[in-house]
Amino acid sequence: MPKSLGDRLRAAAAKAEGTPGERVPNNNSSPLSPSGSQVTPRTAAAFPKTIKVFLIDGSSKTLALTPEITVRQVCNSIAAKLDARWPSSYALFEVWEDGVRTRLSDKQKLAHVVVKRADLENKYRDLLLDPPRIEFRQWLYFQEADREMVLLEFADMRHQVLTGALAHKPQETIGLGALCLQHDFGDHSPDVHVVGFLTRQGQLGNFVPDYVTKDKPTDMVESLLFGMHSKLVGMSNEQSALEYLVQVATWPTFGMTSVPAQWINKHCSSEFDDSIVDMATEGLFGVNEQGLHWMTVDSQGLMEVMKSWEFAELNSWASSDKHFGFVVGDLDSNHRLVFATEKGGDLSSLVQGYIDALVNRRDRSMSTYMQDEEEEESSSNRLSTRSRSSMDLRGIGAMGEEEFDIWANLPFQPLQGAANPVR
């Protein structure tokens, strides 16, 4: 029996929140911990002198832990060690026992996060024997890969594809699996890489997600994988990882962080253009490098974008614990859309994060251009490509989040079952 839209949306939300390795957007608040007041270490012996931070590929970095060091300082330190070009694209995540990951806000003191997880009566023992797991990973994703971080970005994207968090047509996914074969095994060996090899080794799931083999026999999938793999001879593991990133970046939902939501002011449809009026009231709200997106989930479990708004279209946005809203359009003719979601703060943080990152990249590109202009006059033709984001973003750097309270007089009533608007 076909699944209803509601069932598909709930399944998609479960993938985003409950699967280890998935992106969890920032809530800019306290982690989802067994509540309690924040504990400040009283003595230097109350917490370890070092903290181990794990990377997506399973490796780790050990850093000195002091009472005052912040999450952003730790991120910047690790990014510098890894020669990451864009440190702001990375964040620290606290991993809970059920696999849920919570992004820590930049200003949090890491020592407070560590101590909060320990049992108060056995704090010192717990922190030494079973310290909380802290992970360093991307939270902002860009189509242009960081050449110094290719292998880490590849590990992250590969995990998202294999777990179904980032899904696309099976044939596209099989092509990515062939690049993974080249990365893991090197050049194709006709005597070893034959149909049945991956299945016998129990490794097929390391190269294609489960949904690929639901409608295709495993021997057919392996035949396609090895056929493509045989054409990649001579490609190094770094080259295959980079090609993987290039291919997956073309997928419509690449880098998408999505949350379930309801559009709750649709009945004011006379204010909106036809493309907005036609939107469903129940779906997934997503944010990525390209902007904001209202999506649904099709019968195959793939996210389908119904309507998108670029960051340059935003006039402002606002959030609360139960809402996220934004204004698009010209100042004289604009539309205000409000969505009921428990992840309003997460969405607001993502919007702010992407805008800040895009502005920083624009400024850095312009700075690089000006330096090149001084060194070589012929470089003037580079302006059209290097400053394209500047022209697209217009005055985006001046935007910011509004207080949701100022939206309290909106002339709408929530849909049946939706959360009440903030008053």
Side-chain angles (χ1 to χ4, degrees):
M1 180 178 178
K3 291 185 177 180
S4 67
L5 174 60
D7 291 338
R8 297 199 298 271
L9 292 173
R10 283 188 287 272
K15 284 182 182 178
E17 296 191 23
T19 305
E22 292 308 312
R23 298 187 310 279
V24 177
N26 176 30
N27 60 9
N28 257 344
S29 61
S30 60
L32 304 175
S33 61
S35 54
S37 59
Q38 192 175 51
V39 180
T40 303
R42 297 182 178 179
T43 67
F47 57 92
K49 302 295 184 184
T50 60
I51 181 70
K52 183 176 288 187
V53 180
F54 293 87
L55 309 183
I56 183 65
D57 62 358
S59 62
S60 63
K61 301 289 183 183
T62 301
L63 296 93
L65 181 63
T66 65
E68 298 303 319
I69 192 169
T70 65
V71 167
R72 178 41 52 190
Q73 288 172 329
V74 172
C75 281
N76 290 342
S77 176
I78 296 177
K81 291 177 183 293
L82 298 173
D83 293 326
R85 187 181 183 191
W86 307 110
S88 62
S89 298
Y90 297 86
L92 292 188
F93 289 78
E94 185 175 12
V95 185
W96 295 90
E97 288 78 4
D98 57 2
V100 172
R101 289 171 169 82
T102 304
R103 192 178 85 86
L104 303 175
S105 64
D106 287 348
K107 295 182 180 180
Q108 280 183 274
K109 302 290 179 63
L110 190 56
H112 293 174
V113 176
V114 171
V115 173
K116 186 188 294 184
R117 288 289 294 273
D119 179 78
L120 294 181
E121 295 182 1
N122 300 290
K123 182 186 304 181
Y124 187 67
R125 182 198 66 188
D126 285 359
L127 291 177
L128 289 180
L129 299 181
D130 188 24
R133 184 179 177 90
I134 305 295
E135 292 184 350
F136 173 87
R137 57 173 57 225
Q138 276 186 275
W139 77 294
L140 303 177
Y141 295 85
F142 295 92
Q143 290 180 323
E144 180 185 358
D146 185 338
R147 293 303 181 101
E148 300 298 330
M149 302 288 283
V150 164
L151 294 181
L152 279 181
E153 291 187 15
F154 164 73
D156 192 354
M157 283 297 110
R158 181 176 180 176
H159 182 86
Q160 291 186 39
V161 171
L162 292 179
T163 57
L166 180 59
H168 201 32
K169 298 176 182 178
Q171 57 267 32
E172 299 283 344
T173 308
I174 292 174
L176 294 182
L179 289 167
C180 291
L181 286 170
Q182 184 69 20
H183 175 272
D184 291 1
F185 298 131
D187 290 344
H188 178 76
S189 173
D191 296 331
V192 176
H193 301 138
V194 295
V195 173
F197 171 77
L198 295 177
T199 303
R200 288 193 300 271
Q201 300 291 326
Q203 294 189 43
L204 186 57
N206 294 333
F207 300 94
V208 292
D210 292 341
Y211 67 81
V212 172
T213 55
K214 282 185 177 180
D215 300 324
K216 290 182 173 60
T218 56
D219 57 347
M220 178 185 294
V221 173
E222 285 202 42
S223 177
L224 291 170
L225 280 171
F226 288 128
M228 296 180 186
H229 180 210
S230 65
K231 300 177 182 179
L232 303 177
V233 174
M235 185 177 286
S236 69
N237 66 334
E238 289 87 356
Q239 290 172 329
S240 56
L242 180 58
E243 182 61 26
Y244 188 103
L245 294 174
V246 170
Q247 293 296 328
V248 81
T250 65
W251 291 11
T253 56
F254 168 79
M256 189 78 72
T257 299
S258 61
V259 300
Q262 285 182 302
W263 179 27
I264 60 177
N265 65 328
K266 180 174 183 175
H267 75 278
C268 302
S269 57
S270 60
E271 303 175 6
F272 304 133
D273 58 50
D274 292 341
S275 64
I276 297 180
V277 172
D278 291 340
M279 293 189 337
T281 55
E282 184 181 5
L284 295 172
F285 196 94
V287 182
N288 68 0
E289 177 188 4
Q290 307 305 320
L292 284 61
H293 311 273
W294 184 235
M295 302 175 292
T296 188
V297 178
D298 65 20
S299 58
Q300 297 180 333
L302 302 179
M303 289 189 292
E304 181 180 357
V305 177
M306 295 184 287
K307 178 67 177 176
S308 297
W309 301 269
E310 296 180 356
F311 292 119
E313 296 181 66
L314 298 185
N315 288 328
S316 63
W317 71 93
S319 66
S320 71
D321 291 341
K322 295 184 179 181
H323 297 87
F324 177 76
F326 58 97
V327 178
V328 293
D330 298 330
L331 293 178
D332 295 332
S333 176
N334 55 61
H335 307 303
R336 189 182 303 236
L337 294 95
V338 182
F339 298 83
T341 174
E342 295 181 355
K343 301 291 186 179
D346 301 352
L347 295 174
S348 180
S349 297
L350 281 165
V351 171
Q352 187 68 65
Y354 273 112
I355 288 176
D356 289 345
L358 289 169
V359 170
N360 288 339
R361 290 184 175 211
R362 176 196 65 185
D363 293 345
R364 182 166 173 171
S365 295
M366 289 298 294
S367 174
T368 302
Y369 168 75
M370 295 304 293
Q371 291 175 7
D372 290 346
E373 184 76 9
E374 294 175 359
E375 294 173 2
E376 185 180 353
E377 292 183 1
S378 62
S379 64
S380 58
N381 345 342
R382 303 179 190 177
L383 180 60
S384 61
T385 55
R386 288 196 170 182
S387 65
R388 185 178 299 138
S389 62
S390 159
M391 293 182 285
D392 292 342
L393 292 175
R394 301 198 302 250
I396 196 171
M399 296 193 321
E401 182 182 7
E402 297 179 343
E403 293 293 332
F404 197 85
D405 289 343
I406 71 172
W407 294 30
N409 59 352
L410 288 176
F412 69 83
Q413 296 294 325
L415 296 173
Q416 181 97 20
N420 291 326
V422 175
R423 295 291 181 186

